[in-house]
Amino acid sequence: MSHEVRVHSTTWLASGVVQVEFRDPAGADLPAWEPGAHLALQLGNGTTREYSLCGDPADRRSWAVAVMREPNSRGGSSWVHERLTAGTLLKVDGPRNNFPLEPAEHHLLIAGGIGVTPMRPMAAELADRGGDWRMLYCGRSRQSMAFAAQLRDIGGDRVRVHADDEHDGPPDLQAELADLAPGTLVYCCGPEPLINAVESALPDPSALRVERFRAPDQPPSTSDDGFDVVCEDSGVRVFVGPDVSVLDALADAGVDVPNSCQEGVCGTCETKVLGGEPEHRDHVLSPGERESGDTMMLCVSRCRSAELVLNL
Ligand code: FES
């Protein structure tokens, strides 16, 4: 669902990281959200970018996101840094939550760099619940790490801040994850090398919850001969060739499906499947959701059967 919001303020949080606070232009309450949720900002340069909400879910008057200026920005973070000033109006989609904080006996939060943004409200929530949790927050240098002091205020000794330039490089994740208490859920958000290191160090993959900024490289699809897509409601039938996404094939046939990242990481293009066997290639659905085959992400996922029937 789209909302128009106004930039209320911008604040420097750390080197290269700006926080943007949005409010409803008429001062109304904004839709509720829970830790882990993100907004998709419709930037005025024609692109859409997802950013995790990093403020307080109890504050219904404002939404806040923190954006790090990427050295090789594809037009998202540089646009936010250069063009979003107090008073700017823009459209946002969401909030949407692909990274919800599930109940567990113990939680371990691992954040890398700007991956701290969903973790700040998660840490506050876990501290409020009074559960057993701890957090490892890694970054290249302390001056580039947003929310470090705030997280120490929230969690005290439960929060360990690891700045690579104060040590001999990144933390030893093998050691960090070696003796996890049974019943621990590990939440990780950060750059791909950090996520890969956590994935390989964690003995039980089902204990890991991950949110990615970008889709990792993956092998080509196995359904490379193409398949037919049938839209149940409209009756549109379209052939999806090996080099085109379901999303693009449908758009060419006049069926527009809301989308944002086009990399299978945001969940905006999730669509109900009524028939056929999806080949899931996204990074949003859980193993259980994939197995059920109820929905799929049309921007990246394919089909193993000759025909795919969608609720469109
Ligand atoms: S557009 Fe983001 S998952 Fe498809």
Side-chain angles (χ1 to χ4, degrees):
M1 185 161 179
S2 274
H3 311 271
E4 186 176 57
V5 292
R6 187 190 302 276
V7 175
H8 178 71
S9 63
T10 59
T11 312
W12 287 103
L13 295 180
S15 174
V17 181
V18 69
Q19 175 171 285
V20 185
E21 184 189 336
F22 302 109
R23 295 197 176 181
D24 179 271
D29 276 359
L30 293 165
W33 60 279
E34 293 186 343
H38 70 263
L39 296 176
L41 273 51
Q42 296 181 20
L43 306 182
N45 58 1
T47 59
T48 304
R49 290 286 184 274
E50 297 78 34
Y51 296 105
S52 296
L53 284 156
C54 63
D56 177 3
D59 176 6
R60 295 290 303 278
R61 287 182 317 143
S62 70
W63 284 335
V65 299
V67 179
M68 183 179 74
R69 187 172 188 136
E70 303 282 349
N72 300 314
S73 171
R74 293 175 296 157
S77 68
S78 60
W79 195 91
V80 168
H81 275 247
E82 288 161 18
R83 306 289 291 278
L84 285 190
T85 53
T88 308
L89 292 170
L90 83 164
K91 284 226 167 60
V92 301
D93 298 317
R96 181 184 179 94
N97 200 347
N98 301 326
F99 196 42
L101 196 50
E102 298 169 32
E105 284 175 55
H106 317 276
H107 290 87
L108 170 59
L109 311 180
I110 302 178
I114 199 64
V116 71
T117 48
M119 303 284 186
R120 200 219 64 85
M122 282 184 179
E125 164 104 14
L126 290 168
D128 277 356
R129 285 187 200 171
D132 182 34
W133 66 282
R134 65 191 171 92
M135 177 170 181
L136 172 64
Y137 177 18
C138 328
R140 287 205 190 95
S141 69
R142 210 167 275 259
Q143 75 209 41
S144 65
M145 296 171 74
F147 301 125
Q150 221 181 84
L151 283 161
R152 290 282 297 180
D153 288 346
I154 290 170
D157 290 343
R158 291 178 186 276
V159 177
R160 186 155 70 82
V161 175
H162 179 106
D164 293 353
D165 64 355
E166 296 170 6
H167 298 81
D168 285 337
D172 180 352
L173 291 169
Q174 289 285 353
E176 199 71 42
L177 296 168
D179 293 317
L180 282 187
T184 301
L185 269 186
V186 179
Y187 280 72
C188 182
C189 183
E192 206 53 29
L194 174 78
I195 293 175
N196 291 341
V198 171
E199 281 176 337
S200 51
L202 194 63
D204 175 10
S206 71
L208 181 60
R209 304 289 181 272
V210 161
E211 183 153 83
R212 293 185 141 88
F213 305 148
R214 302 282 308 268
D217 293 337
Q218 57 180 332
S221 162
T222 54
S223 57
D224 53 12
D225 289 338
F227 48 90
D228 278 346
V229 168
V230 178
C231 302
E232 179 80 356
D233 289 349
S234 61
V236 169
R237 173 182 283 267
V238 63
F239 176 72
V240 179
D243 299 325
V244 68
S245 69
V246 176
L247 193 71
D248 287 346
L250 285 172
D252 286 348
V255 181
D256 288 320
V257 177
N259 65 88
S260 178
C261 70
Q262 301 194 5
E263 293 188 358
V265 294
C266 75
T268 309
C269 66
E270 184 172 5
T271 301
K272 201 161 179 209
V273 176
L274 302 176
E277 190 190 347
E279 181 192 348
H280 296 288
R281 297 174 61 79
D282 65 276
H283 305 279
V284 176
L285 296 177
S286 67
E289 289 169 326
R290 283 164 181 253
E291 203 164 316
S292 77
D294 289 345
T295 66
M296 65 186 285
M297 305 302 151
L298 302 189
C299 62
V300 290
S301 294
R302 311 281 301 171
C303 179
R304 290 200 179 89
S305 46
E307 187 177 279
L308 180 69
V309 185
L310 298 173
N311 188 28
L312 289 171

mmCIF file of all heavy atoms in Angstrom, residues 40-62:
data_model
loop_
_atom_site.group_PDB
_atom_site.id
_atom_site.type_symbol
_atom_site.label_atom_id
_atom_site.label_comp_id
_atom_site.label_asym_id
_atom_site.label_seq_id
_atom_site.Cartn_x
_atom_site.Cartn_y
_atom_site.Cartn_z
ATOM 1 N N ALA A 40 9.521 0.774 1.095
ATOM 2 C CA ALA A 40 10.081 0.938 -0.255
ATOM 3 C C ALA A 40 9.856 2.395 -0.642
ATOM 4 O O ALA A 40 8.712 2.831 -0.771
ATOM 5 C CB ALA A 40 9.400 -0.005 -1.238
ATOM 6 N N LEU A 41 10.935 3.138 -0.790
ATOM 7 C CA LEU A 41 10.840 4.559 -1.136
ATOM 8 C C LEU A 41 10.801 4.708 -2.648
ATOM 9 O O LEU A 41 11.675 4.182 -3.348
ATOM 10 C CB LEU A 41 12.070 5.317 -0.598
ATOM 11 C CG LEU A 41 12.043 5.859 0.824
ATOM 12 C CD1 LEU A 41 11.643 4.823 1.836
ATOM 13 C CD2 LEU A 41 13.402 6.462 1.179
ATOM 14 N N GLN A 42 9.778 5.401 -3.139
ATOM 15 C CA GLN A 42 9.704 5.680 -4.579
ATOM 16 C C GLN A 42 10.478 6.967 -4.827
ATOM 17 O O GLN A 42 9.972 8.062 -4.573
ATOM 18 C CB GLN A 42 8.254 5.818 -5.019
ATOM 19 C CG GLN A 42 7.444 4.529 -4.849
ATOM 20 C CD GLN A 42 6.007 4.679 -5.321
ATOM 21 O OE1 GLN A 42 5.666 5.566 -6.101
ATOM 22 N NE2 GLN A 42 5.140 3.800 -4.843
ATOM 23 N N LEU A 43 11.708 6.820 -5.276
ATOM 24 C CA LEU A 43 12.578 7.975 -5.429
ATOM 25 C C LEU A 43 12.213 8.720 -6.706
ATOM 26 O O LEU A 43 11.734 8.140 -7.675
ATOM 27 C CB LEU A 43 14.049 7.513 -5.462
ATOM 28 C CG LEU A 43 14.465 6.648 -4.266
ATOM 29 C CD1 LEU A 43 15.936 6.280 -4.368
ATOM 30 C CD2 LEU A 43 14.184 7.350 -2.951
ATOM 31 N N GLY A 44 12.450 10.000 -6.686
ATOM 32 C CA GLY A 44 12.043 10.841 -7.820
ATOM 33 C C GLY A 44 12.830 10.569 -9.079
ATOM 34 O O GLY A 44 12.514 11.109 -10.129
ATOM 35 N N ASN A 45 13.867 9.736 -9.020
ATOM 36 C CA ASN A 45 14.639 9.431 -10.232
ATOM 37 C C ASN A 45 14.111 8.176 -10.918
ATOM 38 O O ASN A 45 14.792 7.591 -11.746
ATOM 39 C CB ASN A 45 16.129 9.263 -9.892
ATOM 40 C CG ASN A 45 16.365 8.159 -8.865
ATOM 41 O OD1 ASN A 45 15.421 7.507 -8.423
ATOM 42 N ND2 ASN A 45 17.603 7.948 -8.488
ATOM 43 N N GLY A 46 12.890 7.750 -10.522
ATOM 44 C CA GLY A 46 12.256 6.606 -11.181
ATOM 45 C C GLY A 46 12.626 5.277 -10.571
ATOM 46 O O GLY A 46 12.185 4.232 -11.056
ATOM 47 N N THR A 47 13.441 5.258 -9.536
ATOM 48 C CA THR A 47 13.813 3.987 -8.913
ATOM 49 C C THR A 47 13.092 3.843 -7.579
ATOM 50 O O THR A 47 12.585 4.810 -7.011
ATOM 51 C CB THR A 47 15.334 3.893 -8.666
ATOM 52 O OG1 THR A 47 15.703 4.974 -7.815
ATOM 53 C CG2 THR A 47 16.128 3.967 -9.937
ATOM 54 N N THR A 48 13.062 2.626 -7.093
ATOM 55 C CA THR A 48 12.486 2.321 -5.790
ATOM 56 C C THR A 48 13.558 1.622 -4.973
ATOM 57 O O THR A 48 14.272 0.767 -5.500
ATOM 58 C CB THR A 48 11.273 1.384 -5.956
ATOM 59 O OG1 THR A 48 10.351 2.007 -6.848
ATOM 60 C CG2 THR A 48 10.574 1.130 -4.641
ATOM 61 N N ARG A 49 13.698 1.990 -3.721
ATOM 62 C CA ARG A 49 14.697 1.353 -2.857
ATOM 63 C C ARG A 49 14.070 1.024 -1.506
ATOM 64 O O ARG A 49 13.279 1.806 -0.982
ATOM 65 C CB ARG A 49 15.890 2.271 -2.613
ATOM 66 C CG ARG A 49 16.757 2.484 -3.831
ATOM 67 C CD ARG A 49 17.612 1.256 -4.151
ATOM 68 N NE ARG A 49 18.511 1.505 -5.265
ATOM 69 C CZ ARG A 49 18.202 1.351 -6.540
ATOM 70 N NH1 ARG A 49 17.004 0.928 -6.888
ATOM 71 N NH2 ARG A 49 19.084 1.609 -7.489
ATOM 72 N N GLU A 50 14.484 -0.134 -0.963
ATOM 73 C CA GLU A 50 13.942 -0.569 0.325
ATOM 74 C C GLU A 50 14.909 -0.187 1.442
ATOM 75 O O GLU A 50 16.125 -0.387 1.300
ATOM 76 C CB GLU A 50 13.758 -2.091 0.354
ATOM 77 C CG GLU A 50 12.776 -2.627 -0.647
ATOM 78 C CD GLU A 50 13.334 -2.702 -2.041
ATOM 79 O OE1 GLU A 50 14.541 -2.961 -2.193
ATOM 80 O OE2 GLU A 50 12.571 -2.462 -2.992
ATOM 81 N N TYR A 51 14.340 0.321 2.526
ATOM 82 C CA TYR A 51 15.156 0.645 3.703
ATOM 83 C C TYR A 51 14.410 0.196 4.954
ATOM 84 O O TYR A 51 13.203 0.429 5.083
ATOM 85 C CB TYR A 51 15.427 2.158 3.773
ATOM 86 C CG TYR A 51 16.243 2.653 2.600
ATOM 87 C CD1 TYR A 51 15.647 3.375 1.571
ATOM 88 C CD2 TYR A 51 17.596 2.364 2.508
ATOM 89 C CE1 TYR A 51 16.380 3.804 0.477
ATOM 90 C CE2 TYR A 51 18.345 2.788 1.409
ATOM 91 C CZ TYR A 51 17.732 3.502 0.400
ATOM 92 O OH TYR A 51 18.458 3.916 -0.690
ATOM 93 N N SER A 52 15.140 -0.429 5.871
ATOM 94 C CA SER A 52 14.516 -0.911 7.112
ATOM 95 C C SER A 52 14.119 0.257 7.996
ATOM 96 O O SER A 52 14.846 1.257 8.085
ATOM 97 C CB SER A 52 15.511 -1.786 7.887
ATOM 98 O OG SER A 52 15.827 -2.928 7.143
ATOM 99 N N LEU A 53 12.995 0.092 8.667
ATOM 100 C CA LEU A 53 12.594 1.089 9.669
ATOM 101 C C LEU A 53 13.475 0.922 10.893
ATOM 102 O O LEU A 53 13.675 -0.195 11.385
ATOM 103 C CB LEU A 53 11.110 0.893 10.011
ATOM 104 C CG LEU A 53 10.162 1.413 8.924
ATOM 105 C CD1 LEU A 53 8.821 0.704 8.993
ATOM 106 C CD2 LEU A 53 9.986 2.917 9.068
ATOM 107 N N CYS A 54 13.997 2.038 11.396
ATOM 108 C CA CYS A 54 14.963 1.940 12.494
ATOM 109 C C CYS A 54 14.525 2.704 13.738
ATOM 110 O O CYS A 54 15.277 2.767 14.708
ATOM 111 C CB CYS A 54 16.335 2.431 12.034
ATOM 112 S SG CYS A 54 16.344 4.167 11.555
ATOM 113 N N GLY A 55 13.310 3.282 13.707
ATOM 114 C CA GLY A 55 12.877 4.082 14.859
ATOM 115 C C GLY A 55 12.137 3.251 15.888
ATOM 116 O O GLY A 55 12.422 2.072 16.094
ATOM 117 N N ASP A 56 11.159 3.910 16.510
ATOM 118 C CA ASP A 56 10.400 3.283 17.591
ATOM 119 C C ASP A 56 9.003 2.936 17.067
ATOM 120 O O ASP A 56 8.239 3.849 16.722
ATOM 121 C CB ASP A 56 10.315 4.277 18.757
ATOM 122 C CG ASP A 56 9.487 3.737 19.903
ATOM 123 O OD1 ASP A 56 9.025 2.581 19.823
ATOM 124 O OD2 ASP A 56 9.301 4.490 20.879
ATOM 125 N N PRO A 57 8.630 1.638 17.038
ATOM 126 C CA PRO A 57 7.302 1.288 16.514
ATOM 127 C C PRO A 57 6.160 1.923 17.314
ATOM 128 O O PRO A 57 5.063 2.098 16.792
ATOM 129 C CB PRO A 57 7.251 -0.248 16.646
ATOM 130 C CG PRO A 57 8.659 -0.687 16.779
ATOM 131 C CD PRO A 57 9.413 0.449 17.411
ATOM 132 N N ALA A 58 6.422 2.291 18.576
ATOM 133 C CA ALA A 58 5.354 2.895 19.392
ATOM 134 C C ALA A 58 5.088 4.347 18.977
ATOM 135 O O ALA A 58 4.044 4.905 19.313
ATOM 136 C CB ALA A 58 5.742 2.842 20.870
ATOM 137 N N ASP A 59 6.008 4.947 18.244
ATOM 138 C CA ASP A 59 5.825 6.330 17.784
ATOM 139 C C ASP A 59 5.072 6.305 16.463
ATOM 140 O O ASP A 59 5.673 6.157 15.407
ATOM 141 C CB ASP A 59 7.196 7.001 17.634
ATOM 142 C CG ASP A 59 7.059 8.407 17.056
ATOM 143 O OD1 ASP A 59 5.918 8.889 16.896
ATOM 144 O OD2 ASP A 59 8.111 9.015 16.759
ATOM 145 N N ARG A 60 3.751 6.461 16.518
ATOM 146 C CA ARG A 60 2.942 6.344 15.311
ATOM 147 C C ARG A 60 2.990 7.618 14.460
ATOM 148 O O ARG A 60 2.452 7.656 13.372
ATOM 149 C CB ARG A 60 1.489 6.020 15.690
ATOM 150 C CG ARG A 60 1.315 4.654 16.364
ATOM 151 C CD ARG A 60 1.542 3.514 15.397
ATOM 152 N NE ARG A 60 0.651 3.613 14.259
ATOM 153 C CZ ARG A 60 -0.617 3.191 14.257
ATOM 154 N NH1 ARG A 60 -1.119 2.608 15.333
ATOM 155 N NH2 ARG A 60 -1.366 3.312 13.178
ATOM 156 N N ARG A 61 3.622 8.679 14.958
ATOM 157 C CA ARG A 61 3.658 9.922 14.176
ATOM 158 C C ARG A 61 4.790 9.927 13.155
ATOM 159 O O ARG A 61 4.798 10.744 12.245
ATOM 160 C CB ARG A 61 3.828 11.131 15.100
ATOM 161 C CG ARG A 61 2.589 11.477 15.906
ATOM 162 C CD ARG A 61 2.851 12.705 16.734
ATOM 163 N NE ARG A 61 4.186 12.619 17.334
ATOM 164 C CZ ARG A 61 5.011 13.641 17.493
ATOM 165 N NH1 ARG A 61 4.672 14.835 17.084
ATOM 166 N NH2 ARG A 61 6.192 13.476 18.068
ATOM 167 N N SER A 62 5.783 9.062 13.350
ATOM 168 C CA SER A 62 6.910 9.145 12.413
ATOM 169 C C SER A 62 7.467 7.768 12.061
ATOM 170 O O SER A 62 7.333 6.802 12.823
ATOM 171 C CB SER A 62 8.013 10.020 13.009
ATOM 172 O OG SER A 62 8.626 9.374 14.088
#
